[in-house]
Amino acid sequence: MNRIRKGDQVLVITGKNKGQRGDVLRVDGDRVFVSNVNLVKRHTKPNPQANQAGGIVEREASIHISNVQLFNSATGKGERVGAKTLSDGRKVRVFKSSGEVVDA
């Protein structure tokens, strides 16, 4: 079970973007793409078939999954996440500090 999924709000805990917060756009193996975090400039060629203009485009680059933590809105901090199986057999993510269930 992945500790971090698409749509989660995460906090960057190390690196040049430390302290920044954003939503996970996509998870690609052990790397995540977070909105408006780790922005890089990419020089792109125009592609008329895809209706794409050329030039310098700013977009998100990936961050290793170990460098982000799931953000807990109740405490206002990034926290560690574990998995727990409920009595009805469902497997859910829980915050390690409080035991609060992440998935509704």
Side-chain angles (χ1 to χ4, degrees):
M1 168 181 267
N2 287 343
R3 290 187 169 93
I4 294 176
R5 297 181 188 160
K6 178 181 174 180
D8 286 343
Q9 191 169 44
V10 294
L11 179 73
V12 180
I13 56 171
T14 186
K16 67 178 185 180
N17 298 297
K18 181 177 181 175
Q20 290 185 0
R21 203 167 77 200
D23 295 323
V24 175
L25 300 173
R26 80 177 200 252
V27 179
D28 193 16
D30 61 351
R31 302 194 72 82
V32 291
F33 291 83
V34 183
S35 62
N36 297 321
V37 175
N38 198 22
L39 293 174
V40 293
K41 288 183 175 6
R42 176 153 172 89
H43 296 70
T44 58
K45 284 175 103 174
N47 185 352
Q49 293 170 338
N51 202 15
Q52 185 180 36
I56 301 172
V57 178
E58 200 168 34
R59 67 176 196 185
E60 293 89 2
S62 66
I63 304 173
H64 197 271
I65 205 161
S66 67
N67 295 337
V68 295
Q69 275 188 335
L70 198 60
F71 183 75
N72 187 349
S73 56
T75 61
K77 299 181 191 174
E79 294 190 11
R80 296 187 300 154
V81 178
K84 183 179 179 181
T85 307
L86 297 178
S87 58
D88 62 354
R90 287 188 306 140
K91 201 170 179 186
V92 293
R93 297 179 297 166
V94 294
F95 287 115
K96 291 264 191 174
S97 61
S98 63
E100 177 189 342
V101 176
V102 178
D103 309 316

